[in-house]
Amino acid sequence: MGKLATSSMQGACALLLLFDTATATAQSRAEKRSRAALARELHDSIGRVLKAAVQDRAFPGAYVLVGDSRGILAEHGDGHLDWTKSPRPDRHTLWDLASLTKIVGTTTALAQLVERGAVDLDSPVQRYVPDWTGPGKESVTVRHLLTHTSGSPSFKAYDEQTHNADSLAMLLFTTPLEQAPGAKMTYSDIGAFMMGVVAERVSGKRLDAYLDENLFRPLKMRETRFNPPRSTWKRVAPTEIDERRGGLVRGKVHDERAYYLGGVATHAGLFGSAHDLSRFATMLLRNGALDGRRVLEAATIVRFTAYADSTFSNRALGWQKPERPDMRYRTSSAWAGRFMSSRAFGHTGFTGTSIAVDPELDLYIILLSNRVNPTRNNPKISEVRARLADAVVSAVRHKRGPTLNAELP
């Protein structure tokens, strides 16, 4: 009798196991079908946005890659690298990332140094750079630099005064403050330059060497670097026609100050691909780790991507946040569109690049273009960014269902 009961129990357990396995398999298949349907809708939506933008001459070409913490959802390119006969962009096209250098590079470096206890956000910059002196500078903290509230001016056209790298760096370093620290938010390349000086002084390494060791190699971002070698220029999207630099700028950083600093700067200078930026964004959505390599702690990402003061400005630490109507100071966050959550963070680059990450939606959007080709006097990129963000988030809302919709603002 005991053996019969045992046998019956074993049979029941086996049936339950088979049922659970079948249920899990069915759920997995349903999830794959849902993800595939979302990927198709995203691909079509991205394609429509890019095709319209190229036809409107917002840029000669662009590449978009959308993903989540599980990987790439959809990607699409349109146009060509130049207005003349040239290749179509793909995920390995190299783009001048412009001010994405500030967040992919400089902000990440500082976040790691803060995490390691080497930098205190609320310590004066002079603690790490004692020779950075001048009226009011003793009150500037590292936090002020990261939130663009240091009192530094937006930028100075020092490239019109000198083309000598050392002289240009000294002019940036000695630029006086224009207002008291914390009084106003002014998006500042000069403040970003000083972020990099702090990172370099504390780490004892130039920014390119630090990032290669602590970010690019661990994440296998093999296509991201300053000063791409000439052998790669055929897949670099050219930027502006600059007669002072011999015509169409290709393979050299577009930003004039970064160019005369030798191409390695802390506010601009990085070149990268959609492939590499997708690895960076995936790492952020996976709480700081990818493929077994940890780059940041989850708490550090939360700390650096939260509003510094949502009534004051739409800045986080280094990163930008969606705008709110009651903010005293804000810069356009077209990269977020209308539907990203308050947890979203992102940044743009002057050349036509942007990255948007929304942990609440488990979503990232990468847009890479060369909207400054042939001239920077082309403001259409903001509208493209907003249309792209809205199209992507709308598709995600549609396919992921009412639970996600309820989470959106």
Side-chain angles (χ1 to χ4, degrees):
M1 188 71 180
K3 290 182 179 180
L4 182 60
T6 300
S7 178
S8 298
M9 185 175 292
Q10 288 174 339
C13 289
L15 286 172
L16 284 172
L17 181 59
L18 286 171
F19 177 78
D20 289 344
T21 302
T23 300
T25 301
Q27 289 174 341
S28 177
R29 287 174 179 168
E31 191 174 324
K32 286 180 180 179
R33 287 195 297 270
S34 175
R35 189 174 177 83
L38 173 58
R40 288 192 296 271
E41 185 167 339
L42 285 171
H43 185 273
D44 292 345
S45 298
I46 294 166
R48 286 192 292 270
V49 171
L50 289 186
K51 183 177 181 180
V54 172
Q55 290 177 343
D56 193 37
R57 299 185 70 82
F59 36 64
Y63 202 80
V64 169
L65 195 153
V66 174
D68 59 16
S69 59
R70 294 170 59 187
I72 296 170
L73 281 165
E75 54 188 317
H76 189 76
D78 207 319
H80 295 83
L81 300 192
D82 196 5
W83 291 111
T84 60
K85 186 177 181 180
S86 56
R88 294 180 64 84
D90 61 33
R91 69 160 64 175
H92 297 291
T93 297
L94 298 177
W95 306 84
D96 181 335
L97 300 181
S99 285
L100 295 193
T101 303
K102 293 182 177 76
I103 51 99
V104 174
T106 308
T107 295
T108 303
L110 279 174
Q112 290 177 332
L113 294 169
V114 168
E115 184 176 283
R116 297 166 189 169
V119 172
D120 180 350
L121 288 171
D122 295 310
S123 286
V125 172
Q126 288 183 355
R127 174 179 174 181
Y128 310 105
V129 191
D131 50 328
W132 190 59
T133 57
K137 289 184 178 180
E138 71 282 354
S139 300
V140 178
T141 66
V142 177
R143 187 184 299 274
H144 284 136
L145 294 178
L146 283 160
T147 55
H148 294 273
T149 56
S150 68
S152 297
S154 177
F155 87 105
K156 296 287 185 179
Y158 288 138
D159 56 289
E160 296 179 3
Q161 297 183 36
T162 180
H163 293 172
N164 178 271
D166 291 338
S167 299
L168 182 55
M170 184 54 65
L171 286 169
L172 290 165
F173 189 84
T174 57
T175 299
L177 303 184
E178 287 190 341
Q179 61 237 348
K184 184 180 178 181
M185 190 279 289
T186 300
Y187 180 74
S188 175
D189 278 1
I190 293 173
F193 172 82
M194 287 309 303
M195 290 184 221
V197 173
V198 171
E200 292 182 334
R201 292 284 184 94
V202 172
S203 69
K205 296 178 180 179
R206 201 169 75 161
L207 186 65
D208 55 345
Y210 178 90
L211 292 174
D212 185 59
E213 178 181 338
N214 294 277
L215 182 64
F216 302 150
R217 277 192 279 162
L219 289 186
K220 298 180 181 178
M221 296 171 64
R222 299 187 179 98
E223 296 171 327
T224 307
R225 60 172 298 155
F226 297 91
N227 291 324
R230 187 174 288 271
S231 61
T232 66
W233 284 13
K234 62 184 178 182
R235 52 191 183 95
V236 172
T239 53
E240 194 167 17
I241 295 175
D242 184 346
E243 298 302 338
R244 296 173 302 173
R245 290 194 268 170
L248 189 64
V249 177
R250 185 171 203 159
K252 298 290 185 179
V253 60
H254 173 262
D255 181 272
E256 293 88 349
R257 271 70 59 194
Y259 175 79
Y260 292 114
L261 285 170
V264 179
T266 58
H267 69 283
L270 274 181
F271 287 74
S273 64
H275 169 272
D276 278 15
L277 285 184
S278 74
R279 292 188 63 79
F280 179 76
T282 303
M283 174 273 295
L284 293 171
L285 286 177
R286 292 186 185 178
N287 298 315
L290 184 63
D291 296 340
R293 297 296 301 270
R294 178 158 296 283
V295 173
L296 291 167
E297 294 295 333
T300 303
I301 296 173
V302 172
R303 184 181 190 186
F304 269 71
T305 60
Y307 285 102
D309 180 347
S310 62
T311 64
F312 186 77
S313 77
N314 63 330
R315 306 305 308 190
L317 296 176
W319 290 90
Q320 191 184 24
K321 300 283 290 179
E323 298 170 77
R324 290 179 175 176
D326 59 340
M327 290 173 172
R328 286 182 61 192
Y329 305 102
R330 56 185 183 269
T331 48
S332 171
S333 53
W335 51 267
R338 295 171 295 166
F339 305 130
M340 283 197 166
S341 79
S342 61
R343 292 179 62 196
F345 54 94
H347 212 281
T348 61
F350 186 78
T351 51
T353 60
S354 58
I355 182 171
V357 182
D358 192 334
E360 189 163 305
L361 304 182
D362 187 23
L363 179 70
Y364 66 80
I365 306 170
I366 294 163
L367 167 62
L368 300 175
S369 81
N370 52 343
R371 68 98 194 169
V372 294
N373 180 327
T375 172
R376 68 187 67 191
N377 299 318
N378 184 349
K380 296 177 180 179
I381 188 65
S382 290
E383 185 179 347
V384 177
R385 286 173 176 141
R387 286 205 311 267
L388 176 66
D390 286 351
V392 168
V393 176
S394 294
V396 169
R397 291 174 66 178
H398 176 246
K399 290 298 181 185
R400 288 184 181 170
T403 301
L404 178 59
N405 294 345
E407 294 173 351
L408 293 174

